[in-house]
Every structure is written in structure tokens, then in C-alpha cells.
Amino acid sequence: MKNLLYYSVLLLGTVCFLPACTSNEESKTSTGEKAEASPEVAFQTVPVSIKTQAKQLALPGELSPYYDVALYAKVNGFINRMPVDVGDKVHRGQVLAIMEAPELESELSRTLSELTAARGRLNISKSNYRRLVQAAKTAGAVAPQELDQAQAVVMGDSANLISQQQRVAGARQMKQYLLLTAPFDGVVTERILSPGALVGPTQKDAQPMLRLKEIGRLRLQVTVPEVYAGQIRQNAPVTYSVNAFPGKVFRGKINRISYNVERSVRAELIEIEVKNPGLQLMPGMYATVGFPVQRQSKSLYVPKTAVVISMEGSYVITVINGKTHWVTVQTGNESNDQIEVIGNLKSTDQVLVNGSDDIRDNMAIKTVSEPKVARH
């Protein structure tokens, strides 16, 4: 009975052990097959393309008045009358404000009196000199020194008359400053002061009386990023649109280029002169400006995914004889999935389509090329 029980247990253990061994062997065989089936990773490369690529660049811009000035009083006085107000269209030379300053009237009257006196003195000195010249024709009648003195008096009185004439002209000009006139055609956009206000250049915290803007012509100002600065051309055609007139496209041309890259924004300012006879466009409006940019010569292009931007800078990864090489580049124009690169590259170079900073410099890799495409 004991022997029968012993053989039963032994038989049961053998049956359980066989499936386990079979399972382990199958697992090892499967793993080995998978390891042999996993090939080495291959990185896709593409040749650097060389072409001339045009692009329609869209940048934000802002409309500003062609002229914009705050008008201050040039002399001290009180505002007597202001015949214009906000929104009024004015013409060059039109009176915008009238001031009063009694002391200027007194100064003009005094200088006029002094001018009359100076003119009288000159007439007397000239008359004396003429008499002496006539008398000098008789030998010994007039001493030469006396004649010279009379001539000097005439010259002094003549200079004094000229000085008084200039003082009168200055006093009249100062009185003209009591009339504030428009320096150009425009629209009054602000009226800061009112009649009765004391104004003048010597006043503490002097304020302007009015603000005048010329909006019959406007300046559309756009800041162009440094990378496109060399591709902007004088008189190049542009299109622009504003939110106030959805769907409407305005046309113009580049009238002014600053030829200066501002350090703070790394961009160059350009201006487009906008004719605005109907005054439908207004200063302060934002616009979207579109204009073509294109290099004058052919450039090198790679896929956007090929450019790696890291702490080391911007670079692409070329492959030479199965080894990687980092090439530092600057990026430029973009077109669809291509981007312009500037650096130590040639059109025959092969670059990784998908660059990554995980791929180190001088690293051996296996590559596969993209199908060749027609170059431009």
C-alpha cells in the first residue's frame, strides 16, 4: 500500500514538471528569434538643396499720421479765443488760437517811437555833414578833423537806425506769435487748454494748447526682422488690410527704408506712404502687411526637422563616411517644410532629416537616403 502511494506521487510530479520545461524552452527560443530579427537603427538623410525661393511675408504694422505736432504758445500771454475744436479740419496758416499780451503792445509802441527818433537824428547828422562838405570846398574854411567827425556821426546814426528797425521787426514778430496758426493741413485731434488759460514758454509745466495731425496722408510703419532686412527693396509693391474694413485689400509700395536695425527688437523700420483722401483710415489702426521677399542669389535649404536648436546653438547634422558632423548654421526664409540655412554647407552634403541633440558629433551611424527629387 505504501509503495503504491509513493509511485502515485512520483508520477504526478513528473507530469507537472514537463509542461514547465517545455514553456521555458519555448520562451528562450522566441526571445532568441526576436533578438536576431531586430536590425540596427538606420537614420534617414537628404541632400542639401540649392534654389531661389520667393516668399510672401506677412507682418503687423501700424498707421501713424504723416505729421503730428503739439502746438505751444511762443510768448507769454492769456488765451483770448480758440475758433477751432476737436475734429475740425484746418488748412496751413489758418488761425487756431488768439492770445493777448498788453506788454507786447507796449514794447512795439516803444520801439516804433525809438525808430522815429533814430531816423530824425540821422537826418540831422546827414544835413550837417552835407553843409560841412559844401563849406570845405573853400580852402581853410573847415578843418579836415571836423569833417571826419561829422562823417563818423552820420555812420553812427545810420547804424543806430538799422538797429532800431530790427528791434521793431522783432517786436512785430513777437506780436504775431499771439496768433497760433496751423503749420500744415490737418485735423485737430486734441484741445488741451481753453480761453482764459495763461500760456507761454516760461510757464512751469507748460502744456500744449492743441494737437494737430495730418491724416490726409499716413505712414504705415512696419518692423522687418533682421533676417529679412537684406531682402527688402525700395518701391517694392505691398498689400495691406485693416480690421476696420474686413475683406478689403489696400495696395501701396515701400517708400522709405531706415537702413538701421534697432538693437532692442533686432528689426529694421520701413514706411509705406498711404494716401487717405477720404479719411477712412485713421492713425493708430493696426494693419497686416504682405510683401514678397527673395534672395538675390540662390540659397541652401534643408527640411525644418533637420535643424537642431540647443544650448550649443543652431546646427544641422551631416554624415560623412558613416560619421556625424555638427555644422553650425543660421536660419533664414521658410517655405512649406523647408528652411533656408546659412553655414559651412555644400549642395552635395547629406544631412539627417530628423536632427536631434541625442545624436552626438563624430558618432558612427547607419543611414538610408531619401528618394531623389528634382532640384530647382
Side-chain angles (χ1 to χ4, degrees):
M1 186 65 181
K2 289 182 179 180
N3 290 338
L4 181 59
L5 182 59
Y6 171 76
Y7 286 116
S8 299
V9 172
L10 182 61
L11 180 59
L12 182 60
T14 302
V15 172
C16 293
F17 177 73
L18 287 174
C21 291
T22 303
S23 177
N24 290 339
E25 289 298 329
E26 289 177 355
S27 176
K28 289 180 181 179
T29 302
S30 175
T31 303
E33 289 174 355
K34 287 182 180 178
E36 292 176 359
S38 178
E40 184 182 353
V41 175
F43 294 88
Q44 193 175 48
T45 61
V46 66
V48 176
S49 59
I50 180 169
K51 55 187 174 181
T52 302
Q53 191 82 28
K55 178 185 178 182
Q56 187 72 14
L57 192 64
L59 293 173
E62 183 177 359
L63 290 165
S64 60
Y66 198 83
Y67 292 132
D68 181 2
V69 64
L71 299 174
Y72 290 80
K74 295 182 180 180
V75 294
N76 294 323
F78 292 90
I79 299 176
N80 184 352
R81 192 160 56 90
M82 297 183 74
V84 296
D85 212 325
V86 174
D88 288 347
K89 300 174 186 177
V90 299
H91 303 286
R92 181 177 181 178
Q94 181 176 336
V95 175
L96 307 179
I98 302 169
M99 294 170 287
E100 57 183 14
E103 58 273 19
L104 292 182
E105 291 284 354
S106 299
E107 177 67 15
L108 179 58
S109 297
R110 186 175 65 82
T111 55
L112 285 172
S113 298
E114 292 176 351
L115 176 62
T116 301
R119 187 176 287 113
R121 286 192 297 270
L122 178 61
N123 289 335
I124 293 173
S125 61
K126 281 182 176 180
S127 179
N128 291 336
Y129 178 69
R130 282 194 295 268
R131 283 196 297 268
L132 289 174
V133 169
Q134 187 67 28
K137 292 179 180 179
T138 302
V142 178
Q145 183 179 3
E146 187 178 358
L147 189 62
D148 291 342
Q149 288 176 347
Q151 186 180 16
V153 171
V154 172
M155 294 177 64
D157 288 344
S158 178
N160 183 55
L161 177 63
I162 294 173
S163 175
Q164 291 299 328
Q165 288 174 338
Q166 292 175 343
R167 291 182 62 189
V168 169
R172 284 174 173 164
Q173 183 62 59
M174 294 297 285
K175 185 180 177 182
Q176 285 296 317
Y177 288 153
L178 293 175
L179 299 178
L180 184 69
T181 58
F184 50 81
D185 294 350
V187 174
V188 178
T189 58
E190 292 182 61
R191 196 186 81 167
I192 295 92
L193 299 178
S194 300
L198 177 62
V199 294
T202 62
Q203 302 302 315
K204 185 179 179 181
D205 300 326
Q207 288 183 297
M209 290 187 283
L210 300 165
R211 180 172 289 277
L212 182 66
K213 296 182 180 181
E214 180 180 352
I215 61 176
R217 289 183 299 171
L218 297 173
R219 301 173 188 264
L220 178 52
Q221 297 180 323
V222 186
T223 51
V224 179
E226 179 182 5
V227 67
Y228 300 112
Q231 303 174 55
I232 303 301
R233 297 290 176 265
Q234 191 85 20
N235 298 321
V238 299
T239 58
Y240 57 94
S241 59
V242 295
N243 293 334
F245 301 96
K248 186 171 183 178
V249 177
F250 301 87
R251 300 186 182 277
K253 64 179 181 178
I254 297 175
N255 297 94
R256 299 173 192 88
I257 302 175
S258 66
Y259 297 104
N260 177 61
V261 175
E262 291 290 341
R263 291 184 178 180
S264 58
V265 293
R266 305 308 307 173
E268 180 184 36
L269 179 68
I270 67 169
E271 282 190 354
I272 299 150
E273 191 170 315
V274 176
K275 302 295 184 182
N276 190 33
L279 306 186
Q280 57 179 340
L281 299 175
M282 291 176 284
M285 285 183 172
Y286 284 100
T288 301
V289 185
F291 48 87
V293 291
Q294 182 175 337
R295 298 283 186 199
Q296 295 301 300
S297 57
K298 292 186 177 181
S299 304
L300 300 178
Y301 281 80
V302 298
K304 291 181 181 179
T305 55
V307 179
V308 182
I309 301 176
S310 67
M311 298 297 292
E312 288 85 357
S314 300
Y315 60 91
V316 296
I317 303 173
T318 62
V319 180
I320 303 175
N321 297 327
K323 288 193 174 182
T324 60
H325 296 276
W326 287 7
V327 179
T328 302
V329 296
Q330 292 180 337
T331 57
N333 293 347
E334 297 182 13
S335 176
N336 299 326
D337 59 344
Q338 297 279 304
I339 188 168
E340 179 187 18
V341 288
I342 304 167
N344 189 22
L345 287 172
K346 301 184 294 294
S347 59
T348 56
D349 289 340
Q350 295 281 334
V351 298
L352 295 185
V353 174
N354 296 297
S356 170
D357 54 4
D358 292 333
I359 303 173
R360 307 309 300 169
D361 191 23
N362 201 34
M363 182 172 123
I365 62 171
K366 183 179 179 181
T367 62
V368 58
S369 300
E370 270 192 343
K372 290 185 178 181
V373 295
R375 296 191 185 184
H376 300 282

